[in-house]
Amino acid sequence: MSRLLYINEKFGHDATIILDSGDACWISVGKKGVLMRSHKHNFWGGLLGSVLGPKLYQERNIYQALNVAQALAVIFRPVPQIRCKDMMLRAFCTAAWQCPSPERVKAVLNDPELLAA
């Protein structure tokens, strides 16, 4: 089962979720879009993963990212452990939580039907 490592809404909007596969998924939501990366859940992975980890999803158009977040909020049911005030961060965290591996996160978030929403 996935678990939440941290959520930061005080100094930016980002979160890290440990997936069922043991990999970590770093999610960052900002004024310039959304970026999700995966990395190994260890010291070096945590230190460098948000910079060097493979990109699972990136959207630089904030309006398109908002549309995707709204579609995710409809598709995935809420997770009680994710208590974000930011709707976009909550939607992307919930989607990552429901996926067992980084490959599945990438497949779900880059689905053409979801992007057309």
Side-chain angles (χ1 to χ4, degrees), residues 5-6 13 19 32 42 56 76 83 92-93 98 106:
L5 189 60
Y6 80 91
H13 291 119
L19 304 175
K32 295 186 177 183
N42 58 30
L56 301 177
F76 295 107
R83 297 183 199 111
F92 283 99
C93 285
Q98 309 269 342
K106 187 173 186 175

Side-chain angles (χ1 to χ4, degrees), residues 28-99:
S28 175
V29 174
K31 293 179 182 178
K32 295 186 177 183
V34 176
L35 177 63
M36 294 178 73
R37 290 182 183 264
S38 71
H39 57 83
K40 295 295 179 192
H41 179 58
N42 58 30
F43 176 75
W44 293 110
L47 188 64
L48 300 173
S50 61
V51 178
L52 301 175
K55 289 180 187 175
L56 301 177
Y57 178 78
Q58 181 174 19
E59 181 58 62
R60 291 189 175 142
N61 181 341
I62 195 68
Y63 299 107
Q64 182 65 29
L66 181 60
N67 286 339
V68 170
Q70 289 172 337
L72 291 172
V74 170
I75 293 171
F76 295 107
R77 67 183 194 284
V79 176
Q81 292 89 338
I82 300 174
R83 297 183 199 111
C84 303
K85 293 177 185 174
D86 185 311
M87 187 280 298
M88 285 182 61
L89 182 60
R90 184 174 53 241
F92 283 99
C93 285
T94 302
W97 180 280
Q98 309 269 342
C99 297

Side-chain angles (χ1 to χ4, degrees), residues 55-58 68 103-115:
K55 289 180 187 175
L56 301 177
Y57 178 78
Q58 181 174 19
V68 170
E103 294 80 20
R104 182 70 182 141
V105 172
K106 187 173 186 175
V108 166
L109 294 176
N110 293 300
D111 183 16
E113 292 179 11
L114 186 64
L115 297 175

